[in-house]
Amino acid sequence: MSHAVVKKPETDTCNSSLKQSLHPAQSHDAKLLNGSLTSHQLQPRTNGLTHAAASSAASVASSGGSGLSPAAAMAGLLSGAGASTALPLPPNSNGEQSPSYERYRADDSSYVPVGQFFAGRSVFITGGTGFMGKVLVEKLLRSCPDIRNIYLLIRPKRGQEVSARLTELLNAPLFESLRREKPKELSKVIPISGDITSEELGISEKDQNLLCRNVSIVFHSAATVKFDEKLKLSVTINMLGTKRLVELCHRMMSLDALIHVSTAYCNCDRTDVEEVIYERPYNPDDIISLINWLPEDILDQLTPRLIGKRPNTYTFTKALAEHMLLKEAGNLPVAIVRPSIVTASLNEPFAGWVDNFNGPTGLVSALAKGMFRTMMCEKNYVADMVPVDIVINLMIAAAWRTATHKSNDLRIYNCCTGQRNPLIWSEFVKYAMCSVRKHPLEGCLWYPTGELRMNRPMNTLNCIVKHFLPAYIVDGVARLMGKKPFVVNVQNKIAKAVECLEYFATRQWRFKDDNVHGLLHTLSPKDREIFVFDVRHIHWDKYVERYVLGFREFLFKQRPESLPDSRKRMVRLYYLHQLTKLVAVLLTWRFLMSRSKRLNDMWSAFLDNALKMARLIPFL
C-alpha cells in the first residue's frame, strides 16, 4: 500500500453531542472538511491526502475541534462514541490502484543520490538526544558530508544549558569516529532551545524564524516511549507535540519532507497491520480536551477504558498522533515510519551500540547477570525486532523519496523484520543465552539459565522460587554483613519491565512492509550499500552476539580485556549451579522418602540390588 488510507467503519458511531460546526476556512479546504466537495472534485486534491484519508479528516473536523466543550467530549467518550467497531472498507475507497515504485535504472539521468540530495540542506530534528536521534545525527554527518546544518531541539535539563547538553552529546562514544576523522562536521550541529511539551515547542521567536528560513527536512522522533506513562503526559508529548511541530512546519518556506516516527504497534489491537492509517479510536481533539479539563487522578481511572484493547498509553497516543498528523498536515510533504521493537545497532556507527535498558535489552541484561529466569512468552511467535541503524537509514531514504517524488499520498513505512527475516522468541533466547555465557558480565551473580512459559501459575511459582526467594536471601545476608540490600529492588524493576513486555511476547502480528520493499528498489546499488535497510541481510545469531557485547561495553562499561576473568568466574558458577541442582534433588528425594514408607522400601530394594551388582563387577 502506498496511499495513506484510513480504514473507515461502515457506520459513524459518533454521538451527536460531539458534533460541532467548523469555523470558516479558506475556500477549498473549508469545502472539503464540510463535505461539500464531490468525489470527483476531491480526486485531484494536492494537500497530501488521498480521498479516503480526506474523508477521515472531514469526519474528524465535523465531530469536533479544539474548541469542543470538555463536558461534551467526556460525555461522548464515556458513552463509547469515539470507538470504531464496524468492519473496515477496502483500503482504497476511490477505486484507484496503489501506485507502484519504479525500480532504479542505471541509465536514469534524473536520479539524485541520497547523500547528494542532502547537500546544502538544513535539517531539523526533534528527539535528537534520544536513542534513535543520536544515531540519526551521526549518520547524516557521516554519510551526507555536504549537509549544511542540523538543528537539534534540546530541552534545558537539570540546570544544564542546551549548549552543554550538546557538547555532552557530541562527546559520546557514538561520535568517536567523527571526532577523529571529520571533527569539523560536528560544528554543523546547532542546538535549538525548546521543549516538546510547551506551546510553540518552547522555541523563541528568533529561533522559529531561523528554522522557517533555512530548514527543508524535518525528522520528528521526539516521544515518550514509557509504556506506563501517565495519559496526560503521553498525550502532551506524543499528540500535542506533533500538532505543534506541524504548525511550525506550515511556516517553513522550503519544506520538502516531514518524517514522523510512529510505531508499528500503534495498531496492536489488530493482527494484520498494513501500511495504512486505520480509523481512529477517538477524536484526538476530544482526548486533548479531556486532559486539559479533568484532574489527573480521574484521568488515571479512565485510562484503561479509554485505551481499550491497547496495552498502554504509548500505543494509544501514537495511533491518535497519526490521525492528528493526517488532519493537520494539509499540503505538507509527509511520510510516517513505523518501527517495531528498536534494538542495538547492526553495523553503524559500530555493531551493538545501545544506550538504554528499554525493551529486550533490560531483560537480556538481567539474564546475563543471572537474575532473570522465567517469563510469560509464546516461544514460537515472531520477536519483531529491528536494529536502530536499519530504522535510521529507512528514515533518511523516506525523506529523500518524499522530497524527490512529490505526491498527494501520505506514505507509511512499516519498518519490521517479521515478514522478510523472522526471528522467533525461542531462537532469540537461545542466541542470547549462548552469547551471555560466552561473553559474561563482570560480577555475574549466577549462571544464566531461563525458560519461556505460557502456563501462568507455573510461571508465577518459578518467579517466586527463582527470582524473589533468592533475592530476599541475598538481601538478608547483605543486611547481616552491614551492607545495603538491593537485589529485591532490582527484581521489582525486572518484574515491572516483564509486565510491560509480556503483551508483545504473548501475541503475534503480521506487519506488511510493501512500501519499505518498494523504496529499497528505487535506490541505486551504491545508496543501498550506504543506507542499508534490507532486513534480509541480518544474521540473527551474529547480531545477538554483537548485541550482548554492545550492552556489556556501552551500558555496563566493561572492557573486552576483562572477559578472560569473567569467563573463569562463569565456569565456577556453572559447577556451583549443577551442584545446587543436585543438592535440591537429593533434599527433595529425602523429604519424599521420609513421608512415604512404600517409596522408602522401593529405594532400599534398589540399593540392595545395586550393591549386589557392584560385587559381581570384578568377576565380569
Side-chain angles (χ1 to χ4, degrees):
M1 293 290 169
S2 59
H3 282 59
V5 178
V6 174
K7 295 262 185 161
K8 190 176 179 183
E10 294 173 354
T11 57
D12 187 1
T13 59
C14 289
N15 192 299
S16 59
S17 66
L18 294 177
K19 309 266 184 189
Q20 188 178 28
S21 61
L22 191 70
H23 294 293
Q26 276 109 359
S27 58
H28 186 275
D29 286 346
K31 290 180 181 178
L32 169 69
L33 295 178
N34 286 323
S36 60
L37 291 181
T38 66
S39 174
H40 176 73
Q41 290 171 303
L42 281 168
Q43 216 163 349
R45 181 177 172 78
T46 59
N47 71 338
L49 307 178
T50 63
H51 173 62
S55 299
S56 177
S59 174
V60 171
S62 65
S63 60
S66 58
L68 184 65
S69 161
M74 190 173 87
L77 289 172
L78 295 184
S79 66
S84 61
T85 57
L87 294 174
L89 292 174
N92 198 346
S93 59
N94 61 3
E96 294 179 356
Q97 294 293 320
S98 297
S100 59
Y101 287 82
E102 72 288 351
R103 297 179 74 90
Y104 169 77
R105 301 192 321 274
D107 61 348
D108 184 3
S109 59
S110 65
Y111 182 85
V112 179
V114 176
Q116 184 180 326
F117 161 77
F118 279 92
R121 292 179 179 271
S122 291
V123 173
F124 178 49
I125 301 174
T126 70
T129 58
F131 177 44
M132 291 176 59
K134 294 173 185 176
V135 181
L136 175 59
V137 172
E138 196 277 342
K139 178 65 176 181
L140 287 171
L141 291 175
R142 180 165 46 85
S143 299
C144 306
D146 294 322
I147 196 169
R148 186 179 176 188
N149 285 311
I150 298 177
Y151 297 100
L152 286 189
L153 183 68
I154 300 180
R155 175 171 58 92
K157 191 176 182 181
R158 293 190 294 269
Q160 260 190 326
E161 294 298 323
V162 294
S163 56
R165 290 197 66 195
L166 178 62
T167 301
E168 182 181 338
L169 170 69
L170 298 180
N171 284 329
L174 184 69
F175 296 91
E176 183 179 345
S177 62
L178 278 171
R179 288 196 303 269
R180 185 175 60 252
E181 299 167 10
K182 302 177 181 179
K184 291 183 179 179
E185 294 296 311
L186 299 176
S187 63
K188 295 179 180 179
V189 184
I190 300 173
I192 298 292
S193 180
D195 187 342
I196 199 75
T197 64
S198 302
E199 290 291 337
E200 298 184 336
L201 303 179
I203 303 175
S204 68
E205 185 176 350
K206 179 183 177 181
D207 284 344
Q208 287 185 45
N209 292 333
L210 175 70
L211 296 174
C212 291
R213 284 195 310 270
N214 297 320
V215 169
S216 59
I217 305 292
V218 175
F219 293 99
H220 178 43
S221 63
T224 173
V225 296
K226 287 180 64 177
F227 284 173
D228 57 349
E229 190 69 84
K230 298 280 189 182
L231 181 62
K232 184 166 187 174
L233 183 57
S234 193
V235 168
T236 302
I237 297 175
N238 295 344
M239 293 172 60
L240 276 174
T242 300
K243 184 176 183 178
R244 290 160 180 162
L245 177 69
V246 171
E247 289 170 353
L248 178 63
C249 288
H250 274 294
R251 295 170 48 203
M252 292 181 179
M253 300 175 184
S254 55
L255 184 70
D256 286 323
L258 164 59
I259 305 301
H260 172 75
V261 181
S262 184
T263 171
Y265 296 101
C266 65
N267 297 300
C268 60
D269 55 336
R270 58 182 68 239
T271 304
D272 292 283
V273 181
E274 300 175 37
E275 291 169 306
V276 299
I277 296 179
Y278 291 91
E279 178 67 10
R280 67 192 187 278
Y282 294 101
N283 183 341
D285 290 318
D286 293 349
I287 299 296
I288 291 172
S289 294
L290 280 188
I291 68 141
N292 288 331
W293 180 57
L294 288 178
E296 194 158 344
D297 57 335
I298 303 296
L299 275 176
D300 292 342
Q301 295 175 30
L302 290 176
T303 297
R305 187 168 178 181
L306 289 173
I307 65 177
K309 295 180 180 180
R310 289 177 171 83
N312 48 54
T313 58
Y314 172 67
T315 56
F316 176 70
T317 53
K318 277 296 192 178
L320 290 176
E322 289 191 358
H323 276 277
M324 181 154 284
L325 183 66
L326 189 66
K327 177 189 172 186
E328 304 289 339
N331 61 353
L332 295 178
V334 181
I336 296 174
V337 174
R338 293 176 179 161
S340 51
I341 302 173
V342 182
T343 50
S345 63
L346 177 66
N347 293 310
E348 299 179 279
F350 30 76
W353 184 81
V354 63
D355 74 342
N356 63 80
F357 287 98
N358 294 339
T361 306
L363 300 186
V364 178
S365 300
L367 173 71
K369 277 286 189 180
M371 302 179 68
F372 178 58
R373 300 177 177 278
T374 182
M375 73 172 288
M376 289 288 292
C377 177
E378 177 48 71
K379 61 182 179 181
N380 293 318
Y381 280 178
V382 171
D384 207 312
M385 303 177 192
V386 59
V388 62
D389 48 335
I390 294 283
V391 184
I392 296 307
N393 288 331
L394 174 61
M395 289 167 57
I396 294 171
W400 165 83
R401 174 75 187 189
T402 303
T404 58
H405 293 74
K406 301 298 183 183
S407 171
N408 288 343
D409 304 329
L410 190 156
R411 300 285 175 100
I412 298 166
Y413 301 93
N414 286 342
C415 186
C416 310
T417 57
Q419 293 295 304
R420 311 280 174 181
N421 189 5
L423 170 73
I424 60 175
W425 284 106
S426 60
E427 290 176 335
F428 174 71
V429 171
K430 180 181 73 173
Y431 297 148
M433 198 80 70
C434 179
S435 297
V436 298
R437 292 170 181 171
K438 183 179 178 181
H439 310 290
L441 295 174
E442 298 173 27
C444 184
L445 297 177
W446 201 255
Y447 186 72
T449 61
E451 192 171 342
L452 305 177
R453 309 173 193 276
M454 281 302 288
N455 184 315
R456 188 170 293 279
M458 184 61 68
N459 186 69
T460 302
L461 177 62
N462 274 272
C463 278
I464 294 171
V465 174
K466 296 181 178 180
H467 291 175
F468 285 98
L469 183 59
Y472 278 104
I473 292 173
V474 172
D475 277 0
V477 172
R479 285 190 177 92
L480 291 175
M481 297 174 65
K483 296 181 179 180
K484 184 178 180 181
F486 69 94
V487 183
V488 172
N489 186 40
V490 171
Q491 284 294 353
N492 285 329
K493 291 180 179 179
I494 292 173
K496 189 175 182 180
V498 170
E499 184 182 355
C500 291
L501 192 62
E502 183 181 301
Y503 178 91
F504 304 94
T506 55
R507 290 165 177 80
Q508 184 166 251
W509 293 266
R510 288 182 293 274
F511 299 112
K512 306 295 182 182
D513 60 352
D514 295 338
N515 279 350
V516 176
H517 197 60
L519 175 58
L520 176 68
H521 290 290
T522 66
L523 295 176
S524 68
K526 184 176 181 180
D527 275 342
R528 283 184 227 171
E529 290 178 7
I530 298 173
F531 302 94
V532 179
F533 57 90
D534 188 350
V535 298
R536 294 172 298 181
H537 295 157
I538 301 173
H539 299 287
W540 288 113
D541 53 343
K542 295 178 182 178
Y543 169 73
V544 174
E545 183 176 3
R546 291 194 294 261
Y547 189 177
V548 169
L549 285 169
F551 70 64
R552 187 184 192 278
E553 180 176 355
F554 302 114
L555 294 181
F556 288 93
K557 310 299 182 185
Q558 298 176 8
R559 305 300 301 170
E561 294 78 15
S562 68
L563 276 171
D565 288 340
S566 296
R567 286 173 181 146
K568 290 177 184 177
R569 179 182 174 85
M570 183 60 65
V571 172
R572 293 194 295 270
L573 288 174
Y574 169 76
Y575 286 115
L576 180 60
H577 177 66
Q578 300 303 330
L579 179 62
T580 303
K581 289 197 295 184
L582 178 61
V583 170
V585 169
L586 292 176
L587 289 176
T588 304
W589 182 249
R590 174 80 182 194
F591 173 79
L592 292 175
M593 285 183 62
S594 67
R595 294 294 186 272
S596 171
K597 186 177 183 303
R598 184 178 178 185
L599 190 60
N600 203 352
D601 292 340
M602 289 173 61
W603 178 244
S604 297
F606 171 77
L607 288 179
D608 287 341
N609 291 327
L611 288 172
K612 290 176 182 178
M613 292 293 294
R615 291 190 191 103
L616 294 175
I617 289 176
F619 302 101
L620 294 179

